Amino acid sequence: MTFQMGLVLIFELVMLLSTACAALMAGWLWWHSRYQRLLAGLAGFGAMMALWCLGHIFILHQQPVLGRSLLLANPLMPTFFLHFAIQFVRQGAQDRPWLQRLSAAIGWVYFASVLVILLSLSLGASELIPGAVLPVVFVFSGYGWLNLLYTVLLGVAAHAVLWYGWRHHQGNKKRSIGAMFLAGGWGLLLATSFVFPSFGLDWFPYPMLLLPSYPLLLVYGVVRYQMLAANAIANRALLWLVMSLLLLLVIALISTVFGQLGMQTLATVPVWQLWLYSSLVLLLTAACYRPVARLAERLIYPGARLDEQILQSWQLQLAGAADWQELAAAAQQLLTAQLGQQVLVQLQDIDLGLGGLRLSATELQGLWRCQVSGDEDLPPGLRLVVQVFASLLQSRCATLQQSLQLAQTEKQRLSSQHLVEMGALAASMAHELRNPLNIISMASAGVDAELRGHIQQQLKRADRLISDMLVYSGRLNLNYSQVPLRPLLESLTQQFDWQQVQLILQVPAELWLRADPHRLQQVLLNLLDNAHAFLRNQPDAKLCIEAQELADQVQLRLHNNGPALDPAVSAQLFRPFISKRAGGSGLGLAIIKRIIDAHQGQICHRADLGWAVTFEFSLPKEPAHVG
């Protein structure tokens, strides 16, 4: 008799626990259904399961009308589950006509379920009889079998929909459906004892004692692949279960040890009371864990106040930097404000500010690393802040580098496209301009000789401008070969009448490089032509050409003592249409710059080598990626 009373109490507690679990999960799912509407059907299933479990408690407490009403509302559970299954399977899959029709008819299914429930309540579909274990149990009778059959059919329909979804989905969706099948099989195994008394079987309510696990497993199986929050809750629940089992084991050991030591007072305390008290202590410990952890963190890491809002603010402000200068300034400002002391941040050899604490970010073999120095006097909390900030800065440096590389690639693509378009335009303009120039040249044959000479001079200037424009806007195709420098320079200098200009050639006879001879000749002719234009009428004029080999490069310098260039002009010297030479096109130096760049070299103007004007350019002796 005592065992039977204890089993009744356990069954009642299990039903209360199942009600609480189902109700909590229903509320949680309903809250999250704001973002995933399909969870509303599963929330309804959980709510109906909570009411169904509550119906068993009402029957035990002699509330037969309310208890029978809740148990006869059984068809609404598979109705909600069928609704959820249809929505879950249709999401992200090819819709079949029968599935569309079933989804459209779900309202009629709810109506039929409510109608079956009302018929069951009004036509006497159940009875209460004495049970083998429980004082009273629920059994179906009369129209109650219709209620049971309708419920089973709805469950079969829901699982048929899931079977279809399992066959036609992949990845996490398929895993979720598989988890639903496993949880549904477990729930069916447990809940079948509900109908055993109706068939005269005395197995009720033993399987029902594990019923609280059913709603938890079902909901977790559905959402574990969809929502990270569910996995966090499951992690805490599993931890709580393991702790509870360990607690039961410790209590059993304590009772045994106390009995052996003769401490009968403690040994005779009921195990369930010890477990209840210990569970309350465990709950209190869990509730105090976070406040105590925060207190310990403040004691161990004083001054470290890092939360999600601060980290998001850091990320947003670092992400707003468009270049290395801005990123270094933003990082220095943020870290200085957080620490309350001056910090030096170094990125890509950029130094900003002063201070003993230094944060530097460097790249090595494609990976960014942040190093902190001067933090020896910081408390542990502030050192933790610096380390967290350094990890964010390291990530932002990698992202910024990728962004700048993409921007540079896009700039080069647009520049290449622009040159192609400009080349086509220049070719068309050259054709259209040379036709009238030829007509003008032929028409000038009958005019005065002096006027004809003037016309021919201007026509040559126009033709030279057209030729330069075609060279500048055209595509450079380089044909590399071995070029000995001194013979090339000697042949080019002989093409000019230097008159009173002193020409100095300081180029080793054995010096050579690999380049396009025609393009290199263009560069040297343009530079020599410019020098000749400024030096030919100047007294004591000098032109010095020197070349030398530096590591894997060849450097050439063309010095002259002609008029110095205005610094304002020197800054824009290699841009098109910038010229100080009378009659010049303004494209000569721009063409030179294009050719040198194509050879992977560099060119610049200098005025710090003891000469009024120096053009210095260097070319690789063996350019990369050259066949």
Side-chain angles (χ1 to χ4, degrees):
M1 187 69 178
T2 304
F3 172 77
Q4 186 177 11
M5 292 180 60
L7 191 58
V8 171
L9 179 61
I10 291 174
F11 176 74
E12 186 174 357
L13 291 174
V14 167
M15 288 297 100
L16 284 172
L17 182 60
S18 300
T19 301
C21 289
L24 288 173
M25 297 307 294
W28 185 78
L29 288 170
W30 179 258
W31 176 259
H32 285 280
S33 68
R34 298 175 302 165
Y35 312 107
Q36 300 187 44
R37 294 186 60 184
L38 60 87
L39 295 179
L42 198 58
F45 171 82
M48 287 309 304
M49 185 174 181
L51 295 175
W52 184 79
C53 294
L54 202 58
H56 288 282
I57 298 174
F58 284 136
I59 288 176
L60 285 177
H61 284 269
Q62 300 180 358
Q63 299 288 334
V65 176
L66 189 55
R68 290 163 66 180
S69 300
L70 292 177
L71 293 180
L72 287 174
N74 186 50
L76 280 177
M77 272 197 294
T79 303
F80 278 112
F81 190 74
L82 174 63
H83 189 186
F84 163 74
I86 293 171
Q87 290 182 307
F88 191 80
V89 170
R90 289 187 67 190
Q91 187 182 50
Q94 183 180 1
D95 233 349
R96 293 297 176 90
W98 67 269
L99 199 56
Q100 292 179 358
R101 289 194 293 270
L102 188 58
S103 177
I106 194 65
W108 291 104
V109 177
Y110 279 106
F111 176 77
S113 300
V114 173
L115 184 61
V116 169
I117 293 171
L118 292 177
L119 287 174
S120 301
L121 292 175
S122 60
L123 298 177
S126 64
E127 296 178 1
L128 298 180
I129 62 173
V133 176
L134 300 180
V136 61
V137 293
F138 173 94
V139 295
F140 287 103
S141 64
Y143 286 97
W145 297 106
L146 174 63
N147 182 296
L148 180 60
L149 178 62
Y150 179 76
T151 301
V152 172
L153 290 176
L154 287 178
V156 171
H159 284 80
V161 172
L162 292 177
W163 172 253
Y164 166 80
W166 185 82
R167 292 184 59 190
H168 290 84
H169 280 285
Q170 300 295 329
N172 286 339
K173 181 64 72 71
K174 188 169 187 173
R175 297 187 189 98
S176 295
I177 294 174
M180 278 188 256
F181 267 107
L182 294 175
W186 176 248
L188 181 64
L189 179 67
L190 300 180
T192 46
S193 61
F194 163 62
V195 299
F196 286 168
S198 301
F199 293 98
L201 301 175
D202 295 333
W203 299 347
F204 182 78
Y206 298 109
M208 295 276 284
L209 298 181
L210 297 175
L211 192 62
S213 63
Y214 173 50
L216 298 177
L217 290 175
L218 177 63
V219 173
Y220 180 58
V222 173
V223 302
R224 67 168 298 187
Y225 299 107
Q226 315 294 325
M227 302 167 59
L228 293 178
N231 294 280
I233 293 176
N235 181 51
R236 290 193 290 269
L238 184 61
L239 179 62
W240 176 259
L241 178 62
V242 172
M243 293 298 295
S244 299
L245 293 176
L246 289 175
L247 191 60
L248 287 173
L249 179 62
V250 170
I251 289 171
L253 290 175
I254 289 176
S255 299
T256 303
V257 171
F258 283 168
Q260 295 293 329
L261 295 177
M263 304 174 68
Q264 297 300 324
T265 303
L266 292 175
T268 55
V269 176
V271 174
W272 68 270
Q273 289 186 10
L274 289 174
W275 183 81
L276 180 62
Y277 298 150
S278 302
S279 298
L280 291 175
V281 172
L282 195 60
L283 278 173
L284 182 61
T285 304
C288 296
Y289 171 75
R290 288 189 178 277
V292 171
R294 283 195 293 268
L295 177 61
E297 184 177 352
R298 290 182 179 180
L299 292 175
I300 297 174
Y301 297 108
R305 188 180 64 85
L306 289 177
D307 52 33
E308 186 177 354
Q309 185 176 2
I310 292 177
L311 295 178
Q312 287 181 351
S313 175
W314 284 354
Q315 288 177 332
L316 287 175
Q317 294 189 56
L318 292 178
D323 54 34
W324 298 112
Q325 185 84 14
E326 291 184 14
L327 182 59
Q332 180 169 301
Q333 182 181 2
L334 290 173
L335 197 53
T336 298
Q338 186 68 24
L339 299 181
Q341 67 179 66
Q342 191 68 28
V343 181
L344 172 65
V345 175
Q346 292 180 297
L347 302 176
Q348 299 280 52
D349 298 327
I350 297 174
D351 291 359
L352 296 174
L354 300 171
L357 181 60
R358 183 185 299 267
L359 175 62
S360 59
T362 56
E363 181 194 13
L364 181 61
Q365 297 180 348
L367 296 177
W368 280 89
R369 294 287 183 269
C370 281
Q371 295 181 342
V372 182
S373 59
D375 61 337
E376 296 80 6
D377 295 332
L378 291 179
L382 296 184
R383 295 179 71 177
L384 177 63
V385 170
V386 175
Q387 292 173 4
V388 172
F389 186 86
S391 65
L392 291 177
L393 181 60
Q394 175 179 315
S395 175
R396 178 55 191 159
C397 284
T399 304
L400 179 60
Q401 185 181 41
Q402 293 176 356
S403 300
L404 293 176
Q405 289 175 349
L406 289 174
Q408 181 64 24
T409 302
E410 180 65 12
K411 182 179 179 181
Q412 292 176 353
R413 186 189 69 82
L414 292 175
S415 177
S416 176
Q417 180 181 354
H418 175 70
L419 286 175
V420 171
E421 294 172 352
M422 192 169 65
L425 178 62
S428 177
M429 287 180 61
H431 176 72
E432 295 298 329
L433 288 173
R434 276 178 169 157
N435 284 336
L437 289 178
N438 289 332
I439 295 173
I440 295 173
S441 178
M442 289 186 293
S444 66
V447 302
D448 179 74
E450 183 179 354
L451 179 59
R452 184 171 61 250
H454 180 68
I455 292 174
Q456 291 297 328
Q457 182 181 4
Q458 294 303 316
L459 288 175
K460 288 180 181 179
R461 180 173 178 270
D463 187 68
R464 185 168 60 250
L465 177 60
I466 293 172
S467 299
D468 287 347
M469 185 171 60
L470 287 173
V471 172
Y472 179 73
S473 61
R475 185 169 183 175
L476 291 179
N477 295 315
L478 302 181
N479 298 312
Y480 284 89
S481 65
Q482 297 289 97
V483 180
L485 279 180
R486 187 176 182 92
L488 176 63
L489 287 167
E490 288 176 345
S491 65
L492 294 178
T493 54
Q494 291 175 6
Q495 298 181 23
F496 296 89
D497 180 11
W498 296 105
Q499 299 177 6
Q500 304 301 319
V501 178
Q502 181 183 358
L503 182 61
I504 305 170
L505 194 61
Q506 298 178 347
V507 179
E510 68 280 2
L511 190 59
W512 60 270
L513 77 162
R514 190 168 174 78
D516 184 319
H518 173 67
R519 296 300 184 182
L520 183 59
Q521 182 176 325
Q522 256 184 300
V523 170
L524 295 172
L525 277 175
N526 266 316
L527 292 175
L528 291 172
D529 185 49
N530 279 341
H532 180 264
F534 287 105
L535 293 175
R536 61 185 175 183
N537 296 319
Q538 179 176 313
D540 196 24
K542 291 182 181 180
L543 173 63
C544 176
I545 304 174
E546 61 178 11
Q548 58 180 333
E549 185 175 350
L550 300 174
D552 57 350
Q553 290 189 332
V554 174
Q555 184 188 77
L556 288 91
R557 289 174 176 170
L558 283 81
H559 311 282
N560 69 74
N561 61 348
L565 295 178
D566 186 350
V569 174
S570 177
Q572 303 180 1
L573 199 57
F574 295 97
R575 295 181 60 184
F577 308 113
I578 303 295
S579 177
K580 294 295 286 182
R581 175 182 168 186
S585 66
L587 288 173
L589 291 177
I591 292 171
I592 290 173
K593 181 73 164 58
R594 278 206 64 203
I595 295 174
I596 296 296
D597 289 343
H599 279 83
Q600 305 164 28
Q602 294 179 337
I603 186 168
C604 63
H605 165 263
R606 300 183 63 173
D608 58 342
L609 299 177
W611 293 82
V613 177
T614 297
F615 283 97
E616 174 186 282
F617 68 92
S618 57
L619 298 174
K621 192 168 184 180
E622 286 285 351
H625 310 298
V626 174

